[in-house]
Amino acid sequence: MIQHAEGSGLARIYQAAGDLIVYGGEEPYRWALWPAPVPPPATGEARVQPSELLRASHALVAFTGRHDLLAELADWRDAGTGQDVAVCLIHGPGGQGKTRLAGHVAHLWRRQGWVVLAAHHRRDRSTAADFEVPAFDEAAGVLVVVDYAERWDTADLLTLLHDAHASGRLPVRVLLLARPAGTWWDSLKGRMQRDLGLVPSRRELAPLERESGITRAGLFAAARDRFAELLRVPEAGSAAAPPALERHDAYQLVLTVHMAALAAVLAAERGQAVPVDPARVSEFLLARERDHWEAMASPRRDKPLATSPEAMGQIVYTATLTGRLGYDDGKAALARAEIESSQAIGQLLKDHAVCYPPAGPASPEGGSAAHASVTVLEPLYPDRLGEDFLALSTPGHSCDFPVDPWAQTAPARLLAPAGNGPGEGEGVPAWARHAVTTLIEAAHRWPHLARRQLYPLLADAPHLAVHAGGAALARLADLEDIDARLLEAIEAMLPGHRHIDLDIGAAAVASRLAEHRLAAATDPAARAYIHDALAVRLSHAGLHTRALAEGHRAVQLWRHLATLDRDAYLSDLATSLNNHANRLAEVGRPVEAIPVSDEAVRLYSGLVELDRDAYLPHLAASLNNHALLLEGVGRRVEAIPVSDEAVRLCSGLVELDRDAYLPGLAMSLTNHAALLAEAGRRAEAVRISEEAVCLRRELVELNRYAYLPDLAMSLTNHASRLAEVGRSVEAVLVSDEAVRLFGGLVELNRDAYLRGLAASLTNHALRLAKVGRRAEAVPISDEAVSLFRGLVELDRYAYLPDLAMSLTNHASRLAEVGRSVEAVPISDEAVCLRRELVELNRDAYLPGLAGSLINHAALLAEVGRSVEAVPISDEAVCLRRELVELDRDAYLPDYVRSLAVHGYVRIEDSRFGAAVTPLIEALLASRELPEHVAQNMVDWVTYLLRLAFAKDATGVTDEFRAVTGQDILAWMME
């Protein structure tokens, strides 16, 4: 059981000219300045390769419309959100104008003093190694644009956002561009809220024609006239739009309209008919690409290329699938593709680079060692045209475009496993992720690609879909005609545990399969299993509300089945109930979780009577969970015997099979120690907590990756146990180890371990403060508050207790370094939140409210607001007196401290005589405290009594005699 705490991200931060240029982890991304529009190609270049005119980077057609969205983005930029970082997703299909919008925003914001950066993922080879550091000194803020955000690993995207969050003094706005939203975004949004405290916004980029005054015909005419000007084709000014412009859905996309306009200009130049529909437009433009390859290989050219047009088409196909690559990987890709050419692979790469110059350094001239930073195989742009080229080159369509039989099996060759080739993983080439993602996107518009290439490819190698990442998996699962058997094969390759990159895709696959399986399943038990399995996947993806609903359906089914055949289904019902109770607690409904968990315990107890060996481990686990839930709602007295029973059962199981049951014993010991400490049995708790740490170190030696999180959790709690018995120096060392372990775990799986890191950091800040390292504690505590605010935005009642706790602690850390004025509003917020929690569950949250009240009273008195402090202090003492009457051992230390603070507050309010009674009560009650605590309290109370006497000797003397029957001067002389 982790005691709540918070922390900071531990990404390595490399600074340049300020606090912004950061690379987290092992450089998962790279910065580049957002480029200015590229000058248009010369007329001659545009004529031979007209697709260049469609690149968004050229921005050749004037930007139009989007006035409301631009205003919204300006408001988003300027809004006083209280956060230095804000995130917005702009999503829409390829060709809708996302990159043009980002470029226009960059242009406008730069004129207003903002620095604009592009973030490129580590797999994106479009940037050189060097980064020109912008001037931040006079900047109004920083805009970061992330294109193709859905293709980033979730962990890497969260790292970028975390680094931006830690950037420091400038406001940062992160604009994510993506094709889909859906499952990947829902999961990412939840993680941003929970892990980073960021509340992102989302805006779908609607078709431009929906804006007032904008029509398809108008967009076509503007693009046609601009292309006619650039290509010097004056006669194209009267070129008619294709007949399908107004009726074909594809022309909702700005890019498709621009492609039609370019085709119309080129057709007018040659006196040809204008292509009719979008597929014909792509055919027309791709035919011009082929003309370009033929011209480059023509003997009439001064230096004709050695590569034939046919081979060049195959290289372009390969480049579109692989994306740009390093030189060695590019050679390997062409070798795999088996380009039908007698030319050496090096020559093929050179010739392709002449036709499609790389975006980075100059074209390759020699061996791989000299070209580590050179990129080759520049893809065909825009992406949509490249995807159309893949589809039109592949047999199976009905368009008038020459297919290449070579293309039918090219993806399978490119993605076949290789024993010693370059790659990102075992048997997986470096370009696999890009290739599979591109095929999935193209398959959404070209069904024959799905049927003839994508589905057979993944059926033979389902691991490739997993390798493509969570967003690609989610997009794959969205294909209408995908076969359930293929999804099942992919599902079998997914890990059963959490995986930060794959969870969103796994949830999408599980959702699609659940629909299929539920439609076919008539057996209620089969349906219950389906709901249970889906709930697990949804929960891992952070989709807790949906997970709870699926788990609830499973419980209902198992309950019904158990009424029909109790012996057959009782164990399934117990398991489902236990899981459902945990999900209720996860979404902030612990009170509802208690009866569910209690039922699970009762059912397992009955099952143990029938078959002890089979069900005793389940009973032990359910008792452990139930104890945690009871403690979470303040029913500590009930929780301790339940926890004690869990420890007893786990110890017995370990005697039977140490390897199998040692993890369960370690968990139950950790939780039991925390419960004992909260009940005032601190010395006993230290011994048990230490035993848990030793067991978990033993388990880590056996399997580091399985048990390291448990060790980190036990260390966090053990540090608290040590501090509670006065072993503060040891506690700092243990706490520091916990922070380091959780920091490494967060780098592996942020979603799974961030709360643990947060807990360890909050506790570590407290441990540091206790040994006098207060300045170090403040920034750690501050980040704890920030992270918990984000978690509360995700799920208010699940994380509100954590936020209230972190606010209370942070106010104390600030006061300890002389920043009491800053601490007061933070402390006041903590009190308000804890009053809200007490309204929900008095038993569970009353101790926290009492603690926040007494801390707040002390702060108010310290900053001279003692009149306000007195009634708050009175309330705190009353609440803690009530708690002491319920459980004296557990609450006496806090009660004594409250009495002492109450005396201090009265002294600050010049009520010196009135301070005597609570101070004397504190002094007397201190005799029951552990020695190390008692002595500190006696020293403090004695100091306060002497202070009160110095301020009002007569009044304090009289009150002291009335309370104790003694003379205060005589007492002070003792």
Side-chain angles (χ1 to χ4, degrees):
M1 180 171 60
I2 289 183
Q3 291 197 342
H4 304 302
E6 256 307 325
S8 59
L10 301 180
R12 293 182 295 127
I13 300 180
Y14 298 91
Q15 298 178 329
D19 297 327
L20 185 70
I21 308 307
V22 291
Y23 295 121
E26 297 182 359
E27 194 177 277
Y29 61 89
R30 185 176 292 274
W31 296 117
L33 291 174
W34 184 267
V38 178
T43 300
E45 295 173 351
R47 282 179 178 274
V48 298
Q49 196 173 9
S51 64
E52 280 292 302
L53 299 177
L54 297 170
R55 285 197 182 219
S57 58
H58 288 304
L60 297 180
V61 180
F63 187 85
T64 187
R66 309 293 187 197
H67 303 294
D68 291 344
L69 180 53
L70 292 171
E72 286 180 26
L73 290 173
D75 289 342
W76 166 70
R77 176 194 66 195
D78 301 332
T81 61
Q83 294 180 323
D84 291 332
V85 179
V87 182
C88 180
L89 170 71
I90 301 291
H91 68 96
Q96 193 74 283
K98 299 182 294 294
T99 306
R100 280 300 309 275
L101 172 68
H104 191 66
V105 169
H107 170 70
L108 295 176
W109 289 22
R110 271 197 293 228
R111 287 167 51 188
Q112 298 172 43
W114 281 64
V115 170
V116 183
L117 303 175
H120 296 266
H121 192 262
R122 57 187 163 82
R123 287 188 294 270
D124 183 353
R125 301 172 185 269
S126 63
T127 56
D130 296 331
F131 170 61
E132 178 187 349
V133 178
F136 291 109
D137 291 340
E138 303 300 324
V142 181
L143 170 65
V144 177
V145 181
V146 183
D147 206 355
Y148 296 104
E150 77 276 17
R151 298 190 183 185
W152 283 51
D153 298 339
T154 305
D156 293 338
L157 194 53
L158 288 172
T159 296
L160 180 145
L161 295 172
H162 176 270
D163 290 344
H165 209 19
S167 60
R169 55 192 174 83
L170 291 174
V172 179
R173 300 294 178 260
V174 182
L175 191 62
L176 305 177
L177 308 179
R179 285 187 175 185
T183 303
W184 83 272
W185 171 248
D186 291 338
S187 181
L188 177 64
K189 177 179 65 175
R191 286 168 175 164
M192 279 190 273
Q193 292 172 325
R194 181 173 62 252
D195 301 350
L196 303 177
L198 298 175
V199 183
S201 56
R202 177 179 69 87
R203 182 66 145 76
E204 182 176 4
L205 196 62
L208 194 54
E209 65 186 51
R210 295 182 186 175
E211 298 193 15
S212 176
I214 296 180
T215 63
R216 295 185 188 182
L219 293 171
F220 174 87
R224 178 199 61 200
D225 295 346
R226 179 62 172 143
F227 293 144
E229 173 190 356
L230 291 167
L231 292 169
R232 298 182 183 177
V233 185
E235 62 272 22
S238 59
L245 182 69
E246 298 299 335
R247 54 181 169 79
H248 201 295
D249 288 344
Y251 284 121
Q252 290 183 349
L253 301 176
V254 176
L255 175 60
T256 314
V257 175
H258 286 186
M259 290 169 65
L262 178 59
V265 171
L266 296 171
E269 181 187 31
R270 296 188 176 187
Q272 298 173 321
V274 175
V276 176
D277 59 36
R280 299 291 185 270
V281 167
S282 290
E283 290 178 42
F284 186 92
L285 294 176
L286 290 169
R288 291 299 296 261
E289 293 294 314
R290 192 168 53 208
D291 291 346
H292 174 50
W293 309 333
E294 290 176 352
M296 297 296 282
S298 171
R300 295 192 295 273
R301 190 171 180 267
D302 288 343
K303 293 182 178 180
L305 299 185
T307 302
S308 69
E310 292 75 15
M312 184 61 69
Q314 294 176 359
I315 302 171
V316 171
Y317 182 103
T318 302
T320 302
L321 267 184
T322 65
R324 61 174 67 87
L325 297 171
Y327 187 74
D328 289 339
D329 282 341
K331 288 176 65 178
L334 290 192
R336 292 274 202 98
E338 299 178 7
I339 305 299
E340 296 174 340
S341 173
S342 61
Q343 301 298 318
I345 288 177
Q347 186 63 50
L348 296 176
L349 287 173
K350 290 181 187 178
D351 287 355
H352 179 266
V354 173
C355 285
Y356 299 92
S363 303
E365 295 292 341
S368 61
H371 301 289
S373 62
V374 169
T375 63
V376 296
L377 295 181
E378 188 73 7
L380 175 62
Y381 290 108
D383 290 344
R384 192 176 183 86
L385 187 63
E387 293 164 7
D388 289 346
F389 180 63
L390 295 179
L392 291 168
S393 299
T394 303
H397 61 81
S398 59
C399 299
D400 186 20
F401 190 88
V403 299
D404 187 345
W406 166 92
Q408 179 65 45
T409 53
R413 292 192 297 274
L414 276 166
L415 295 169
N420 53 8
E424 290 185 332
E426 184 178 356
V428 179
W431 52 84
R433 187 170 180 129
H434 186 282
V436 173
T437 300
T438 301
L439 277 176
I440 291 171
E441 286 297 334
H444 273 271
R445 292 187 295 113
W446 296 94
H448 76 287
L449 282 186
R451 294 190 300 269
R452 295 193 170 214
Q453 289 186 329
L454 180 64
Y455 296 160
L457 175 69
L458 296 181
D460 290 339
H463 68 282
L464 289 174
V466 177
H467 183 77
L473 272 175
R475 193 80 171 123
L476 175 69
D478 197 40
L479 284 166
E480 290 185 4
D481 65 342
I482 191 167
D483 190 86
R485 289 170 297 180
L486 175 56
L487 287 177
E488 286 171 341
I490 293 168
E491 182 187 48
M493 306 297 297
L494 291 168
H497 52 75
R498 286 181 180 271
H499 190 292
I500 193 167
D501 181 40
L502 296 175
D503 284 341
I504 51 177
V509 170
S511 296
R512 189 71 185 269
L513 282 173
E515 293 177 13
H516 168 76
R517 290 165 175 165
L518 288 170
T522 56
D523 177 21
R527 297 178 68 83
Y529 281 124
I530 293 166
H531 287 300
D532 268 332
L534 179 56
V536 170
R537 287 298 188 188
L538 292 170
S539 181
H540 287 174
L543 303 172
H544 298 299
T545 301
R546 287 181 58 196
L548 184 65
E550 293 297 330
H552 179 64
R553 293 187 183 100
V555 167
Q556 289 178 310
L557 286 168
W558 291 124
R559 194 181 296 285
H560 172 70
L561 287 165
T563 62
L564 301 176
D565 189 339
R566 184 176 178 82
D567 292 342
Y569 298 113
L570 203 61
S571 63
D572 293 310
L573 174 59
T575 300
S576 195
L577 285 166
N578 192 58
N579 292 338
H580 191 53
N582 290 334
R583 292 196 186 102
L584 284 166
E586 286 173 353
V587 299
R589 295 162 62 181
V591 175
E592 297 174 59
I594 293 292
V596 178
S597 175
D598 183 65
E599 184 180 2
V601 169
R602 286 188 285 103
L603 292 182
Y604 274 129
S605 298
L607 288 164
V608 164
E609 294 294 324
L610 298 173
D611 189 338
R612 184 175 179 83
D613 292 341
Y615 295 113
L616 196 63
H618 299 286
L619 174 59
S622 65
L623 285 166
N624 191 49
N625 290 340
H626 191 51
L628 288 176
L629 289 169
L630 288 169
E631 189 278 334
V633 298
R635 294 164 61 178
R636 188 177 299 111
V637 174
E638 299 172 65
I640 289 177
V642 174
S643 176
D644 189 63
E645 176 68 3
V647 170
R648 188 184 66 79
L649 293 180
C650 288
S651 298
L653 289 167
V654 165
E655 292 178 5
L656 297 174
D657 189 335
R658 184 175 178 82
D659 292 342
Y661 298 117
L662 200 63
L665 175 59
M667 172 65 78
S668 62
L669 287 169
T670 297
N671 295 343
H672 194 52
L675 284 168
L676 291 174
E678 291 169 357
R681 297 160 61 180
R682 294 178 176 85
E684 188 180 353
V686 169
R687 176 182 57 78
I688 293 174
S689 176
E690 190 165 20
E691 182 182 356
V693 169
C694 290
L695 292 181
R696 281 183 161 161
R697 290 195 189 281
E698 179 182 339
L699 288 165
V700 166
E701 290 296 319
L702 297 173
N703 189 332
R704 181 176 180 84
Y705 295 104
Y707 298 116
L708 198 63
D710 296 330
L711 174 59
M713 180 185 69
S714 286
L715 287 167
T716 296
N717 289 345
H718 189 51
S720 297
R721 304 291 81 80
L722 289 168
E724 287 161 354
V725 295
R727 296 163 63 179
S728 298
V729 175
E730 296 173 70
V732 169
L733 297 175
V734 174
S735 177
D736 183 67
E737 183 182 0
V739 168
R740 287 186 284 105
L741 292 182
F742 269 122
L745 289 166
V746 165
E747 292 297 319
L748 297 173
N749 189 330
R750 192 173 185 86
D751 183 55
Y753 303 118
L754 191 74
R755 193 177 189 181
L757 174 62
S760 66
L761 284 161
T762 291
N763 286 348
H764 192 50
L766 179 58
R767 303 286 78 81
L768 290 170
K770 289 294 184 183
V771 296
R773 296 163 62 181
R774 298 181 178 90
E776 296 176 59
V778 170
I780 296 174
S781 176
D782 182 59
E783 187 165 359
V785 170
S786 176
L787 291 176
F788 276 130
R789 287 195 191 281
L791 290 166
V792 165
E793 290 294 331
L794 173 66
D795 192 328
R796 182 172 180 81
Y797 292 109
Y799 298 108
L800 204 62
D802 296 330
L803 177 58
M805 172 276 306
S806 67
L807 288 165
T808 298
N809 289 348
H810 188 50
S812 297
R813 302 294 80 79
L814 289 170
E816 288 163 351
V817 295
R819 295 164 62 181
S820 297
V821 174
E822 296 176 59
V824 169
I826 294 171
S827 177
D828 184 62
E829 183 182 359
V831 169
C832 292
L833 294 182
R834 281 185 156 153
R835 288 195 190 281
E836 180 180 346
L837 289 165
V838 165
E839 290 294 319
L840 297 173
N841 188 327
R842 181 178 173 83
D843 292 340
Y845 300 120
L846 197 64
L849 174 58
S852 289
L853 285 168
I854 201 64
N855 288 351
H856 192 51
L859 275 172
L860 288 171
E862 187 175 338
V863 298
R865 295 165 60 181
S866 56
V867 174
E868 301 171 60
V870 170
I872 294 174
S873 175
D874 285 337
E875 182 183 2
V877 170
C878 290
L879 293 180
R880 281 193 160 157
R881 184 175 291 118
E882 177 185 337
L883 290 166
V884 163
E885 290 172 357
L886 294 173
D887 190 337
R888 188 169 183 84
D889 290 340
Y891 295 115
L892 186 63
D894 292 332
Y895 178 55
V896 172
R897 178 178 176 273
S898 296
L899 289 167
V901 171
H902 193 40
Y904 162 72
V905 168
R906 288 184 172 184
I907 291 171
E908 290 296 306
D909 195 38
S910 300
R911 299 168 61 182
F912 306 111
V916 172
T917 298
L919 290 175
I920 293 298
E921 187 179 352
L923 200 62
L924 295 173
S926 295
R927 298 171 183 173
E928 300 180 51
L929 299 178
E931 184 177 351
H932 74 281
V933 178
Q935 188 57 56
N936 290 335
M937 185 60 64
V938 168
D939 291 344
W940 185 34
V941 170
T942 301
Y943 163 77
L944 290 175
L945 284 168
R946 290 178 182 274
L947 177 63
F949 179 78
K951 298 288 186 178
D952 181 7
T954 301
V956 170
T957 298
D958 292 344
E959 190 67 26
F960 190 87
R961 182 175 289 109
V963 173
T964 67
Q966 300 179 44
D967 182 74
I968 191 170
L969 284 173
W971 175 79
M972 287 191 294
M973 294 296 291
E974 292 179 359

